[in-house]
Amino acid sequence: MTNNDDKLLERFFSEAARTDIPDAGFSRRVMRSLPDRTLLKARLWRAFCVAACLALAVGLRVWTRLGGWAAGVLGTMAESGLPRVNLLHAAVALAVALALAVREVVDCERAWW
């Protein structure tokens, strides 16, 4: 007996789901005006991750280690007898890479708006 009831309910709700009530776009406007909670959660999570990474970087003194690593790499390049790398070219390449990374982050943020 419950099987017949289930079939009747499914048929009733399937017909109701197919019914389109004309509202002149009211439902769409209401859905657009509702705040997007996932956007807020994503921004809060991103801010937390950035703050945690910065705290770790400061706590582990990453800047001094990176400086020592860079000095070692440049010293090895100078001692190896390879043709000298133009530091201006390397700086421009690094600046372009950073600019592209910043642009990507900004474009991702704009997509959420």
Side-chain angles (χ1 to χ4, degrees), residues 6-20:
D6 290 341
K7 288 181 182 179
L8 287 172
L9 285 172
E10 285 179 17
R11 187 171 17 146
F12 173 75
F13 285 116
S14 68
E15 290 172 6
R18 283 185 254 137
T19 305
D20 188 26

Side-chain angles (χ1 to χ4, degrees), residues 77-100:
M77 286 173 59
E79 292 171 2
S80 68
L82 292 174
R84 292 189 178 211
V85 175
N86 190 343
L87 291 180
L88 179 61
H89 291 158
V92 168
L94 181 63
V96 168
L98 286 173
L100 289 174

Side-chain angles (χ1 to χ4, degrees), residues 58-76:
V58 169
L60 297 174
R61 297 181 184 176
V62 171
W63 313 119
T64 57
R65 293 179 187 200
L66 284 177
W69 176 81
V73 167
L74 291 175
T76 303

Side-chain angles (χ1 to χ4, degrees), residues 9-49:
L9 285 172
E10 285 179 17
R11 187 171 17 146
F12 173 75
F13 285 116
S14 68
E15 290 172 6
R18 283 185 254 137
T19 305
D20 188 26
I21 301 171
D23 62 355
F26 175 76
S27 299
R28 188 172 10 105
R29 289 192 306 270
V30 168
M31 293 304 289
R32 282 186 187 166
S33 68
L34 293 176
D36 186 7
R37 294 186 188 272
T38 58
L39 175 63
L40 177 63
K41 288 178 184 177
R43 286 188 176 167
L44 288 174
W45 178 248
R46 185 178 295 153
F48 171 75
C49 289

